[in-house]
Amino acid sequence: MELLKHRILQDGRCYPGGILKVDSFINHQMDPMLMYKIAEEFINRFKGTHINKIVTIEASGIAPAIMVGYVMQLPVVFVKKKKPKTMENMLSTVVHSFTKDRDYTVCISNNFLTADDHILFIDDFLAYGNAALGMLDLAKQSGCTVAGMGFIIEKAFQDGGNTLREQGIHVESLAIIDNLDNCEIVIR
Amino acid sequence: MELLKHRILQDGRCYPGGILKVDSFINHQMDPMLMYKIAEEFINRFKGTHINKIVTIEASGIAPAIMVGYVMQLPVVFVKKKKPKTMENMLSTVVHSFTKDRDYTVCISNNFLTADDHILFIDDFLAYGNAALGMLDLAKQSGCTVAGMGFIIEKAFQDGGNTLREQGIHVESLAIIDNLDNCEIVIR
Protein backbone atom coordinates (compact mmCIF):
# COMPACT_ATOMS: atom_id res chain seq x y z
CA MET A 1 0.00 0.00 0.00
CA GLU A 2 1.95 2.96 -1.38
CA LEU A 3 0.22 5.69 0.65
CA LEU A 4 1.05 3.86 3.87
CA LYS A 5 4.66 3.10 2.91
CA HIS A 6 5.19 6.73 1.98
CA ARG A 7 3.74 7.85 5.30
CA ILE A 8 5.93 5.42 7.28
CA LEU A 9 9.04 6.68 5.50
CA GLN A 10 7.97 10.29 6.02
CA ASP A 11 6.71 10.21 9.61
CA GLY A 12 7.96 6.94 11.14
CA ARG A 13 10.97 7.01 13.43
CA CYS A 14 13.44 4.28 14.10
CA TYR A 15 15.06 3.45 17.46
CA PRO A 16 17.84 1.02 18.41
CA GLY A 17 16.62 -2.54 19.02
CA GLY A 18 14.32 -2.76 16.00
CA ILE A 19 11.77 -0.28 17.28
CA LEU A 20 9.64 1.58 14.73
CA LYS A 21 7.67 4.47 16.15
CA VAL A 22 4.52 5.46 14.23
CA ASP A 23 2.83 7.27 17.07
CA SER A 24 2.10 10.43 15.10
CA PHE A 25 -0.38 8.71 12.76
CA ILE A 26 -1.15 5.11 13.84
CA ASN A 27 -0.96 4.21 17.52
CA HIS A 28 -1.12 7.32 19.70
CA GLN A 29 -2.14 10.17 17.44
CA MET A 30 -4.15 8.59 14.62
CA ASP A 31 -5.00 9.80 11.13
CA PRO A 32 -8.62 8.72 10.60
CA MET A 33 -8.49 9.38 6.84
CA LEU A 34 -5.48 7.06 6.55
CA MET A 35 -7.31 4.51 8.73
CA TYR A 36 -10.22 4.59 6.28
CA LYS A 37 -7.87 3.93 3.34
CA ILE A 38 -6.22 1.14 5.34
CA ALA A 39 -9.65 -0.41 5.92
CA GLU A 40 -10.45 -0.28 2.19
CA GLU A 41 -7.14 -1.98 1.43
CA PHE A 42 -7.77 -4.77 3.98
CA ILE A 43 -11.20 -5.35 2.44
CA ASN A 44 -9.61 -5.55 -0.99
CA ARG A 45 -7.01 -8.06 0.22
CA PHE A 46 -9.68 -10.33 1.76
CA LYS A 47 -12.20 -9.98 -1.08
CA GLY A 48 -14.16 -13.19 -1.62
CA THR A 49 -13.44 -14.47 1.90
CA HIS A 50 -16.46 -15.30 4.03
CA ILE A 51 -16.27 -13.00 7.06
CA ASN A 52 -19.08 -12.16 9.48
CA LYS A 53 -17.17 -10.40 12.26
CA ILE A 54 -14.06 -8.28 12.82
CA VAL A 55 -11.99 -9.01 15.92
CA THR A 56 -9.09 -6.97 17.30
CA ILE A 57 -7.22 -6.45 20.56
CA GLU A 58 -7.14 -3.25 22.56
CA ALA A 59 -5.96 -0.58 22.19
CA SER A 60 -4.18 0.21 18.90
CA GLY A 61 -6.15 -2.33 16.86
CA ILE A 62 -9.49 -0.71 17.57
CA ALA A 63 -9.23 2.22 15.14
CA PRO A 64 -8.41 0.17 12.00
CA ALA A 65 -10.86 -2.57 13.07
CA ILE A 66 -13.83 -0.23 13.53
CA MET A 67 -13.15 1.27 10.10
CA VAL A 68 -13.08 -2.19 8.49
CA GLY A 69 -16.30 -3.04 10.33
CA TYR A 70 -17.89 0.21 9.21
CA VAL A 71 -17.05 -0.26 5.52
CA MET A 72 -18.06 -3.96 5.59
CA GLN A 73 -21.11 -3.26 7.81
CA LEU A 74 -20.05 -5.96 10.27
CA PRO A 75 -19.81 -6.04 14.08
CA VAL A 76 -16.38 -5.52 15.66
CA VAL A 77 -15.23 -7.12 18.93
CA PHE A 78 -12.12 -6.13 20.82
CA VAL A 79 -10.27 -8.61 23.02
CA LYS A 80 -9.75 -7.04 26.45
CA LYS A 81 -6.52 -6.85 28.38
CA LYS A 82 -8.35 -6.82 31.70
CA LYS A 83 -11.29 -8.94 32.77
CA PRO A 84 -14.32 -6.73 33.46
CA LYS A 85 -16.19 -7.49 36.69
CA THR A 86 -19.41 -8.07 34.80
CA MET A 87 -18.13 -10.45 32.12
CA GLU A 88 -19.66 -13.83 32.82
CA ASN A 89 -18.87 -16.29 30.08
CA MET A 90 -15.34 -15.63 29.14
CA LEU A 91 -12.60 -17.20 27.08
CA SER A 92 -9.10 -16.21 28.13
CA THR A 93 -5.49 -16.85 27.21
CA VAL A 94 -2.05 -15.60 28.19
CA VAL A 95 -0.06 -13.39 25.81
CA HIS A 96 3.60 -12.56 26.21
CA SER A 97 4.59 -9.01 25.31
CA PHE A 98 8.19 -8.70 24.14
CA THR A 99 7.96 -4.91 24.13
CA LYS A 100 6.83 -4.79 27.74
CA ASP A 101 8.58 -8.04 28.76
CA ARG A 102 5.66 -9.47 30.68
CA ASP A 103 2.77 -11.90 30.37
CA TYR A 104 -0.80 -10.70 30.48
CA THR A 105 -4.18 -12.39 30.35
CA VAL A 106 -6.55 -11.32 27.59
CA CYS A 107 -10.21 -12.22 27.36
CA ILE A 108 -13.28 -12.15 25.18
CA SER A 109 -16.88 -12.93 26.02
CA ASN A 110 -18.00 -16.19 24.46
CA ASN A 111 -21.28 -14.47 23.67
CA PHE A 112 -19.37 -12.63 20.92
CA LEU A 113 -17.05 -15.36 19.63
CA THR A 114 -18.80 -18.60 18.76
CA ALA A 115 -18.44 -21.65 16.53
CA ASP A 116 -20.64 -19.91 13.93
CA ASP A 117 -18.20 -17.02 13.45
CA HIS A 118 -15.81 -16.49 10.55
CA ILE A 119 -13.54 -13.77 11.84
CA LEU A 120 -11.08 -11.34 10.33
CA PHE A 121 -8.50 -10.38 12.96
CA ILE A 122 -7.07 -6.86 12.56
CA ASP A 123 -4.15 -5.32 14.44
CA ASP A 124 -1.65 -2.52 13.99
CA PHE A 125 1.62 -4.49 14.27
CA LEU A 126 2.77 -8.03 13.53
CA ALA A 127 6.16 -8.58 15.18
CA TYR A 128 6.71 -11.83 17.11
CA GLY A 129 3.02 -12.62 16.65
CA ASN A 130 2.18 -13.20 20.28
CA ALA A 131 -1.11 -11.30 20.25
CA ALA A 132 -2.08 -13.15 17.05
CA LEU A 133 -1.20 -16.52 18.60
CA GLY A 134 -3.32 -15.58 21.62
CA MET A 135 -6.15 -14.83 19.20
CA LEU A 136 -5.72 -18.26 17.57
CA ASP A 137 -6.01 -19.86 21.01
CA LEU A 138 -9.20 -17.92 21.79
CA ALA A 139 -10.55 -18.89 18.35
CA LYS A 140 -9.78 -22.56 19.00
CA GLN A 141 -11.55 -22.41 22.36
CA SER A 142 -14.63 -20.85 20.76
CA GLY A 143 -14.62 -23.12 17.73
CA CYS A 144 -14.78 -20.14 15.36
CA THR A 145 -13.05 -20.01 11.96
CA VAL A 146 -10.17 -17.57 11.49
CA ALA A 147 -10.81 -16.40 7.93
CA GLY A 148 -7.78 -14.13 7.92
CA MET A 149 -5.47 -11.82 9.81
CA GLY A 150 -4.63 -8.31 8.63
CA PHE A 151 -1.86 -6.11 9.99
CA ILE A 152 -1.01 -2.54 9.14
CA ILE A 153 2.73 -3.10 9.60
CA GLU A 154 4.66 -6.39 9.66
CA LYS A 155 8.24 -6.55 10.90
CA ALA A 156 9.54 -9.35 8.65
CA PHE A 157 12.78 -9.61 10.66
CA GLN A 158 10.84 -10.78 13.67
CA ASP A 159 9.11 -14.14 13.41
CA GLY A 160 5.36 -13.68 13.70
CA GLY A 161 4.55 -13.65 9.98
CA ASN A 162 6.33 -16.96 9.34
CA THR A 163 4.74 -18.62 12.35
CA LEU A 164 1.22 -17.65 11.29
CA ARG A 165 1.68 -18.48 7.59
CA GLU A 166 3.18 -21.89 8.45
CA GLN A 167 -0.06 -22.63 10.31
CA GLY A 168 -1.97 -21.96 7.09
CA ILE A 169 -3.40 -18.62 8.20
CA HIS A 170 -4.18 -16.13 5.43
CA VAL A 171 -2.05 -13.16 6.58
CA GLU A 172 -2.05 -9.77 4.86
CA SER A 173 0.26 -6.96 5.94
CA LEU A 174 -0.08 -3.58 4.28
CA ALA A 175 3.55 -2.56 4.84
CA ILE A 176 6.34 -5.08 5.41
CA ILE A 177 9.48 -3.81 7.09
CA ASP A 178 12.48 -5.91 6.02
CA ASN A 179 14.87 -4.37 8.50
CA LEU A 180 15.55 -1.40 10.71
CA ASP A 181 19.34 -1.87 10.83
CA ASN A 182 21.34 1.26 11.61
CA CYS A 183 18.05 2.99 12.35
CA GLU A 184 17.08 3.08 8.69
CA ILE A 185 13.59 1.99 7.64
CA VAL A 186 13.75 -0.58 4.81
CA ILE A 187 10.27 -1.35 3.43
CA ARG A 188 9.69 -4.23 1.01
CA MET B 1 -30.51 10.64 20.42
CA GLU B 2 -33.50 8.36 19.90
CA LEU B 3 -31.69 5.57 18.01
CA LEU B 4 -29.19 5.22 20.87
CA LYS B 5 -31.83 5.37 23.62
CA HIS B 6 -33.84 2.71 21.84
CA ARG B 7 -30.75 0.50 21.51
CA ILE B 8 -29.86 0.90 25.19
CA LEU B 9 -33.36 -0.08 26.23
CA GLN B 10 -33.34 -3.01 23.82
CA ASP B 11 -29.81 -4.41 24.35
CA GLY B 12 -28.49 -2.83 27.55
CA ARG B 13 -28.51 -4.85 30.74
CA CYS B 14 -28.67 -3.62 34.28
CA TYR B 15 -26.83 -5.07 37.29
CA PRO B 16 -27.06 -4.29 41.02
CA GLY B 17 -24.90 -1.35 42.11
CA GLY B 18 -25.82 0.98 39.23
CA ILE B 19 -24.03 -1.02 36.56
CA LEU B 20 -25.26 -0.69 32.97
CA LYS B 21 -23.80 -3.22 30.58
CA VAL B 22 -23.72 -2.23 26.92
CA ASP B 23 -21.05 -4.68 25.85
CA SER B 24 -22.99 -6.09 22.92
CA PHE B 25 -22.88 -2.82 20.93
CA ILE B 26 -20.61 -0.20 22.58
CA ASN B 27 -17.67 -1.36 24.66
CA HIS B 28 -16.76 -4.96 23.86
CA GLN B 29 -18.67 -5.88 20.76
CA MET B 30 -19.22 -2.63 18.86
CA ASP B 31 -21.73 -1.65 16.19
CA PRO B 32 -19.75 0.51 13.74
CA MET B 33 -22.88 1.81 12.00
CA LEU B 34 -24.23 3.04 15.34
CA MET B 35 -20.78 4.55 16.10
CA TYR B 36 -20.99 6.51 12.84
CA LYS B 37 -24.44 7.87 13.78
CA ILE B 38 -23.11 8.71 17.24
CA ALA B 39 -20.23 10.63 15.63
CA GLU B 40 -22.65 12.61 13.46
CA GLU B 41 -24.70 13.49 16.53
CA PHE B 42 -21.63 14.68 18.46
CA ILE B 43 -20.65 16.87 15.51
CA ASN B 44 -24.16 18.31 15.44
CA ARG B 45 -24.05 19.04 19.18
CA PHE B 46 -20.71 20.89 18.90
CA LYS B 47 -21.52 22.71 15.66
CA GLY B 48 -19.91 26.16 15.55
CA THR B 49 -17.28 25.23 18.14
CA HIS B 50 -13.65 25.68 17.10
CA ILE B 51 -12.06 22.22 17.32
CA ASN B 52 -8.81 21.08 15.71
CA LYS B 53 -8.28 17.73 17.42
CA ILE B 54 -10.24 14.86 18.97
CA VAL B 55 -8.87 13.32 22.17
CA THR B 56 -10.05 10.18 23.94
CA ILE B 57 -8.80 7.61 26.42
CA GLU B 58 -8.19 3.95 25.69
CA ALA B 59 -9.88 1.63 25.12
CA SER B 60 -13.65 2.14 24.74
CA GLY B 61 -13.36 5.78 23.69
CA ILE B 62 -11.32 5.01 20.60
CA ALA B 63 -14.14 3.75 18.36
CA PRO B 64 -16.46 6.77 18.74
CA ALA B 65 -13.47 9.16 18.67
CA ILE B 66 -12.02 7.82 15.42
CA MET B 67 -15.46 8.12 13.80
CA VAL B 68 -15.79 11.75 14.93
CA GLY B 69 -12.27 12.41 13.62
CA TYR B 70 -13.10 10.73 10.33
CA VAL B 71 -16.27 12.73 9.74
CA MET B 72 -14.62 16.02 10.84
CA GLN B 73 -11.34 15.16 9.05
CA LEU B 74 -9.33 15.86 12.20
CA PRO B 75 -6.55 13.94 13.97
CA VAL B 76 -7.46 11.80 16.97
CA VAL B 77 -5.19 11.16 19.95
CA PHE B 78 -5.84 8.55 22.61
CA VAL B 79 -4.55 8.98 26.15
CA LYS B 80 -2.65 5.83 27.15
CA LYS B 81 -3.11 3.84 30.32
CA LYS B 82 0.50 2.65 30.23
CA LYS B 83 3.60 4.66 29.48
CA PRO B 84 5.29 3.31 26.34
CA LYS B 85 9.07 2.84 26.59
CA THR B 86 9.65 5.14 23.64
CA MET B 87 7.51 8.08 24.74
CA GLU B 88 9.85 10.92 25.54
CA ASN B 89 7.95 14.11 26.26
CA MET B 90 5.02 13.06 28.25
CA LEU B 91 2.27 14.62 30.31
CA SER B 92 0.76 12.34 32.92
CA THR B 93 -1.87 12.35 35.64
CA VAL B 94 -3.47 9.88 38.04
CA VAL B 95 -7.05 8.72 37.50
CA HIS B 96 -9.11 6.83 40.05
CA SER B 97 -11.33 4.10 38.67
CA PHE B 98 -14.41 3.45 40.80
CA THR B 99 -15.32 0.40 38.71
CA LYS B 100 -11.94 -1.20 39.24
CA ASP B 101 -11.28 0.47 42.63
CA ARG B 102 -7.72 1.49 41.87
CA ASP B 103 -5.61 4.45 40.77
CA TYR B 104 -3.78 4.37 37.48
CA THR B 105 -1.45 6.75 35.68
CA VAL B 106 -2.47 7.89 32.21
CA CYS B 107 -0.27 9.74 29.77
CA ILE B 108 -0.17 11.62 26.50
CA SER B 109 2.79 12.83 24.47
CA ASN B 110 3.13 16.60 24.61
CA ASN B 111 3.96 16.47 20.91
CA PHE B 112 0.25 15.82 20.36
CA LEU B 113 -1.34 18.07 22.97
CA THR B 114 -0.11 21.64 22.89
CA ALA B 115 -1.19 25.16 23.80
CA ASP B 116 -2.38 25.64 20.20
CA ASP B 117 -4.96 22.85 20.43
CA HIS B 118 -8.71 23.20 20.82
CA ILE B 119 -9.79 19.71 21.72
CA LEU B 120 -13.05 17.80 21.78
CA PHE B 121 -12.79 14.98 24.34
CA ILE B 122 -14.90 11.91 23.50
CA ASP B 123 -15.57 8.90 25.75
CA ASP B 124 -18.14 6.14 26.06
CA PHE B 125 -19.29 6.72 29.67
CA LEU B 126 -19.55 9.68 32.03
CA ALA B 127 -20.11 8.38 35.57
CA TYR B 128 -18.07 9.95 38.40
CA GLY B 129 -16.06 11.84 35.78
CA ASN B 130 -12.62 10.72 36.89
CA ALA B 131 -11.25 10.07 33.41
CA ALA B 132 -12.64 13.46 32.29
CA LEU B 133 -11.04 15.22 35.27
CA GLY B 134 -7.76 13.50 34.40
CA MET B 135 -8.18 14.87 30.88
CA LEU B 136 -8.73 18.39 32.27
CA ASP B 137 -5.50 18.05 34.23
CA LEU B 138 -3.57 16.95 31.14
CA ALA B 139 -5.15 19.83 29.20
CA LYS B 140 -4.10 22.30 31.89
CA GLN B 141 -0.52 20.99 31.83
CA SER B 142 -0.39 21.34 28.04
CA GLY B 143 -2.10 24.74 27.95
CA CYS B 144 -4.64 23.53 25.37
CA THR B 145 -8.28 24.63 25.26
CA VAL B 146 -10.99 22.08 26.06
CA ALA B 147 -13.66 23.08 23.55
CA GLY B 148 -16.05 20.39 24.73
CA MET B 149 -16.58 16.92 26.11
CA GLY B 150 -18.92 14.41 24.53
CA PHE B 151 -20.09 11.15 26.09
CA ILE B 152 -22.21 8.40 24.60
CA ILE B 153 -23.88 7.63 27.95
CA GLU B 154 -24.07 9.76 31.09
CA LYS B 155 -25.15 8.30 34.41
CA ALA B 156 -26.86 11.36 35.89
CA PHE B 157 -27.14 9.69 39.32
CA GLN B 158 -23.38 9.70 39.64
CA ASP B 159 -21.67 13.04 39.90
CA GLY B 160 -19.39 13.56 36.91
CA GLY B 161 -21.77 15.60 34.77
CA ASN B 162 -22.40 18.16 37.52
CA THR B 163 -18.71 18.44 38.36
CA LEU B 164 -17.74 19.15 34.76
CA ARG B 165 -20.62 21.55 34.01
CA GLU B 166 -19.90 23.50 37.22
CA GLN B 167 -16.40 24.08 35.88
CA GLY B 168 -17.92 25.66 32.77
CA ILE B 169 -17.15 22.76 30.45
CA HIS B 170 -19.51 22.30 27.50
CA VAL B 171 -20.67 18.71 28.09
CA GLU B 172 -22.92 16.79 25.71
CA SER B 173 -24.21 13.31 26.52
CA LEU B 174 -26.21 11.45 23.88
CA ALA B 175 -28.16 9.34 26.38
CA ILE B 176 -28.67 10.36 30.00
CA ILE B 177 -29.56 7.61 32.46
CA ASP B 178 -31.54 9.06 35.37
CA ASN B 179 -31.46 5.90 37.43
CA LEU B 180 -30.97 2.17 37.36
CA ASP B 181 -32.94 1.47 40.55
CA ASN B 182 -34.36 -2.05 40.82
CA CYS B 183 -32.34 -2.93 37.75
CA GLU B 184 -34.61 -0.91 35.49
CA ILE B 185 -33.09 1.46 32.94
CA VAL B 186 -34.65 4.94 33.19
CA ILE B 187 -33.49 7.22 30.36
CA ARG B 188 -34.21 10.96 30.38
Side-chain angles (χ1 to χ4, degrees), chain A residues 106-134:
Chain A
V106 300
C107 64
I108 188 167
S109 164
N110 66 6
N111 295 327
F112 308 131
L113 194 68
T114 75
D116 294 332
D117 286 323
H118 291 248
I119 68 162
L120 173 60
F121 178 73
I122 296 287
D123 208 354
D124 59 339
F125 268 96
L126 173 60
Y128 296 100
N130 289 292
L133 291 172

Short mmCIF file of all heavy atoms in Angstrom, two decimals, chain A residues 106-134:
data_model
loop_
_atom_site.label_atom_id
_atom_site.label_comp_id
_atom_site.label_asym_id
_atom_site.label_seq_id
_atom_site.Cartn_x
_atom_site.Cartn_y
_atom_site.Cartn_z
N VAL A 106 -5.57 -12.04 28.40
CA VAL A 106 -6.55 -11.32 27.59
C VAL A 106 -7.83 -12.14 27.55
O VAL A 106 -7.78 -13.36 27.72
CB VAL A 106 -6.03 -11.05 26.16
CG1 VAL A 106 -4.75 -10.22 26.20
CG2 VAL A 106 -5.82 -12.34 25.39
N CYS A 107 -8.95 -11.47 27.35
CA CYS A 107 -10.21 -12.22 27.36
C CYS A 107 -11.25 -11.66 26.40
O CYS A 107 -11.18 -10.50 25.97
CB CYS A 107 -10.76 -12.27 28.79
SG CYS A 107 -11.22 -10.68 29.44
N ILE A 108 -12.18 -12.52 26.07
CA ILE A 108 -13.28 -12.15 25.18
C ILE A 108 -14.51 -12.91 25.67
O ILE A 108 -14.39 -14.06 26.12
CB ILE A 108 -12.93 -12.46 23.70
CG1 ILE A 108 -13.97 -11.91 22.72
CG2 ILE A 108 -12.73 -13.97 23.47
CD1 ILE A 108 -13.51 -11.92 21.26
N SER A 109 -15.65 -12.26 25.61
CA SER A 109 -16.88 -12.93 26.02
C SER A 109 -17.23 -13.99 24.99
O SER A 109 -17.18 -13.74 23.79
CB SER A 109 -18.02 -11.91 26.11
OG SER A 109 -19.26 -12.57 26.14
N ASN A 110 -17.61 -15.18 25.45
CA ASN A 110 -18.00 -16.19 24.46
C ASN A 110 -19.42 -15.97 23.92
O ASN A 110 -19.89 -16.75 23.10
CB ASN A 110 -17.77 -17.62 24.96
CG ASN A 110 -18.64 -17.98 26.12
OD1 ASN A 110 -19.52 -17.20 26.50
ND2 ASN A 110 -18.42 -19.14 26.71
N ASN A 111 -20.05 -14.88 24.36
CA ASN A 111 -21.28 -14.47 23.67
C ASN A 111 -20.95 -13.89 22.29
O ASN A 111 -21.78 -13.87 21.40
CB ASN A 111 -22.02 -13.37 24.46
CG ASN A 111 -22.52 -13.89 25.79
OD1 ASN A 111 -22.88 -15.05 25.92
ND2 ASN A 111 -22.51 -13.02 26.80
N PHE A 112 -19.71 -13.37 22.15
CA PHE A 112 -19.37 -12.63 20.92
C PHE A 112 -18.34 -13.35 20.06
O PHE A 112 -17.84 -12.79 19.08
CB PHE A 112 -18.89 -11.22 21.27
CG PHE A 112 -19.84 -10.49 22.17
CD1 PHE A 112 -19.40 -9.84 23.31
CD2 PHE A 112 -21.20 -10.46 21.88
CE1 PHE A 112 -20.29 -9.17 24.15
CE2 PHE A 112 -22.10 -9.80 22.71
CZ PHE A 112 -21.64 -9.16 23.85
N LEU A 113 -17.96 -14.55 20.46
CA LEU A 113 -17.05 -15.36 19.63
C LEU A 113 -17.53 -16.80 19.75
O LEU A 113 -17.35 -17.44 20.79
CB LEU A 113 -15.60 -15.23 20.13
CG LEU A 113 -14.52 -15.76 19.17
CD1 LEU A 113 -14.43 -14.89 17.93
CD2 LEU A 113 -13.15 -15.82 19.86
N THR A 114 -18.16 -17.28 18.69
CA THR A 114 -18.80 -18.60 18.76
C THR A 114 -18.39 -19.44 17.56
O THR A 114 -17.75 -18.95 16.63
CB THR A 114 -20.35 -18.47 18.75
OG1 THR A 114 -20.76 -18.14 17.41
CG2 THR A 114 -20.84 -17.40 19.71
N ALA A 115 -18.78 -20.70 17.60
CA ALA A 115 -18.44 -21.65 16.53
C ALA A 115 -19.04 -21.25 15.18
O ALA A 115 -18.59 -21.71 14.13
CB ALA A 115 -18.90 -23.05 16.93
N ASP A 116 -20.03 -20.35 15.19
CA ASP A 116 -20.64 -19.91 13.93
C ASP A 116 -19.84 -18.79 13.27
O ASP A 116 -20.11 -18.44 12.12
CB ASP A 116 -22.06 -19.36 14.20
CG ASP A 116 -23.00 -20.46 14.68
OD1 ASP A 116 -22.75 -21.63 14.30
OD2 ASP A 116 -23.94 -20.15 15.43
N ASP A 117 -18.88 -18.21 13.98
CA ASP A 117 -18.20 -17.02 13.45
C ASP A 117 -17.05 -17.34 12.50
O ASP A 117 -16.32 -18.31 12.69
CB ASP A 117 -17.67 -16.17 14.62
CG ASP A 117 -18.79 -15.43 15.35
OD1 ASP A 117 -19.73 -14.98 14.66
OD2 ASP A 117 -18.73 -15.31 16.59
N HIS A 118 -16.95 -16.49 11.48
CA HIS A 118 -15.81 -16.49 10.55
C HIS A 118 -15.15 -15.12 10.70
O HIS A 118 -15.65 -14.13 10.16
CB HIS A 118 -16.28 -16.71 9.11
CG HIS A 118 -16.79 -18.09 8.86
ND1 HIS A 118 -16.15 -18.99 8.05
CD2 HIS A 118 -17.87 -18.73 9.38
CE1 HIS A 118 -16.82 -20.13 8.05
NE2 HIS A 118 -17.88 -20.00 8.84
N ILE A 119 -14.06 -15.08 11.44
CA ILE A 119 -13.54 -13.77 11.84
C ILE A 119 -12.36 -13.32 11.00
O ILE A 119 -11.56 -14.11 10.50
CB ILE A 119 -13.13 -13.75 13.33
CG1 ILE A 119 -11.90 -14.64 13.58
CG2 ILE A 119 -14.28 -14.18 14.23
CD1 ILE A 119 -11.18 -14.34 14.88
N LEU A 120 -12.29 -11.99 10.85
CA LEU A 120 -11.08 -11.34 10.33
C LEU A 120 -10.45 -10.61 11.51
O LEU A 120 -11.08 -9.74 12.12
CB LEU A 120 -11.44 -10.34 9.21
CG LEU A 120 -10.29 -9.46 8.70
CD1 LEU A 120 -9.14 -10.30 8.12
CD2 LEU A 120 -10.81 -8.49 7.65
N PHE A 121 -9.22 -11.02 11.86
CA PHE A 121 -8.50 -10.38 12.96
C PHE A 121 -7.67 -9.23 12.39
O PHE A 121 -6.96 -9.40 11.40
CB PHE A 121 -7.59 -11.40 13.65
CG PHE A 121 -6.77 -10.82 14.79
CD1 PHE A 121 -7.35 -10.50 15.99
CD2 PHE A 121 -5.40 -10.61 14.64
CE1 PHE A 121 -6.60 -9.97 17.05
CE2 PHE A 121 -4.63 -10.08 15.68
CZ PHE A 121 -5.24 -9.76 16.89
N ILE A 122 -7.78 -8.06 13.01
CA ILE A 122 -7.07 -6.86 12.56
C ILE A 122 -6.22 -6.32 13.70
O ILE A 122 -6.70 -6.23 14.84
CB ILE A 122 -8.09 -5.76 12.12
CG1 ILE A 122 -8.90 -6.20 10.90
CG2 ILE A 122 -7.39 -4.41 11.86
CD1 ILE A 122 -8.16 -6.23 9.59
N ASP A 123 -4.97 -5.97 13.41
CA ASP A 123 -4.15 -5.32 14.44
C ASP A 123 -3.18 -4.35 13.77
O ASP A 123 -3.00 -4.37 12.55
CB ASP A 123 -3.40 -6.37 15.26
CG ASP A 123 -3.10 -5.88 16.70
OD1 ASP A 123 -3.38 -4.71 17.00
OD2 ASP A 123 -2.59 -6.68 17.50
N ASP A 124 -2.57 -3.49 14.58
CA ASP A 124 -1.65 -2.52 13.99
C ASP A 124 -0.31 -3.15 13.60
O ASP A 124 0.16 -2.96 12.49
CB ASP A 124 -1.48 -1.27 14.88
CG ASP A 124 -0.94 -1.58 16.28
OD1 ASP A 124 -1.06 -2.72 16.74
OD2 ASP A 124 -0.40 -0.65 16.92
N PHE A 125 0.29 -3.94 14.51
CA PHE A 125 1.62 -4.49 14.27
C PHE A 125 1.63 -6.01 14.30
O PHE A 125 0.95 -6.63 15.13
CB PHE A 125 2.61 -4.00 15.34
CG PHE A 125 3.34 -2.75 14.97
CD1 PHE A 125 2.88 -1.50 15.38
CD2 PHE A 125 4.48 -2.82 14.19
CE1 PHE A 125 3.57 -0.34 15.03
CE2 PHE A 125 5.17 -1.67 13.83
CZ PHE A 125 4.71 -0.42 14.26
N LEU A 126 2.41 -6.62 13.42
CA LEU A 126 2.77 -8.03 13.53
C LEU A 126 4.28 -8.09 13.71
O LEU A 126 5.03 -7.74 12.79
CB LEU A 126 2.35 -8.81 12.28
CG LEU A 126 2.83 -10.28 12.21
CD1 LEU A 126 2.30 -11.11 13.38
CD2 LEU A 126 2.41 -10.92 10.88
N ALA A 127 4.72 -8.48 14.90
CA ALA A 127 6.16 -8.58 15.18
C ALA A 127 6.46 -10.05 15.49
O ALA A 127 6.60 -10.86 14.58
CB ALA A 127 6.54 -7.66 16.32
N TYR A 128 6.50 -10.43 16.76
CA TYR A 128 6.71 -11.83 17.11
C TYR A 128 5.41 -12.64 17.01
O TYR A 128 5.42 -13.86 17.07
CB TYR A 128 7.31 -11.94 18.51
CG TYR A 128 8.69 -11.33 18.59
CD1 TYR A 128 8.87 -10.05 19.11
CD2 TYR A 128 9.80 -12.02 18.10
CE1 TYR A 128 10.13 -9.48 19.16
CE2 TYR A 128 11.06 -11.45 18.15
CZ TYR A 128 11.23 -10.19 18.68
OH TYR A 128 12.47 -9.63 18.73
N GLY A 129 4.29 -11.94 16.88
CA GLY A 129 3.02 -12.62 16.65
C GLY A 129 2.33 -13.13 17.90
O GLY A 129 1.41 -13.94 17.81
N ASN A 130 2.75 -12.65 19.06
CA ASN A 130 2.18 -13.20 20.28
C ASN A 130 0.70 -12.86 20.47
O ASN A 130 -0.07 -13.72 20.89
CB ASN A 130 2.99 -12.73 21.49
CG ASN A 130 4.34 -13.40 21.51
OD1 ASN A 130 4.45 -14.58 21.72
ND2 ASN A 130 5.39 -12.64 21.22
N ALA A 131 0.30 -11.65 20.13
CA ALA A 131 -1.11 -11.30 20.25
C ALA A 131 -1.93 -12.16 19.27
O ALA A 131 -3.00 -12.68 19.62
CB ALA A 131 -1.32 -9.82 19.97
N ALA A 132 -1.38 -12.35 18.07
CA ALA A 132 -2.08 -13.15 17.05
C ALA A 132 -2.20 -14.61 17.49
O ALA A 132 -3.24 -15.25 17.29
CB ALA A 132 -1.36 -13.05 15.72
N LEU A 133 -1.14 -15.14 18.11
CA LEU A 133 -1.20 -16.52 18.60
C LEU A 133 -2.21 -16.65 19.74
O LEU A 133 -2.94 -17.64 19.84
CB LEU A 133 0.19 -17.00 19.05
CG LEU A 133 1.19 -17.20 17.90
CD1 LEU A 133 2.60 -17.47 18.45
CD2 LEU A 133 0.76 -18.32 16.96
N GLY A 134 -2.29 -15.62 20.57
CA GLY A 134 -3.32 -15.58 21.62
C GLY A 134 -4.71 -15.61 20.99
O GLY A 134 -5.61 -16.33 21.45
#
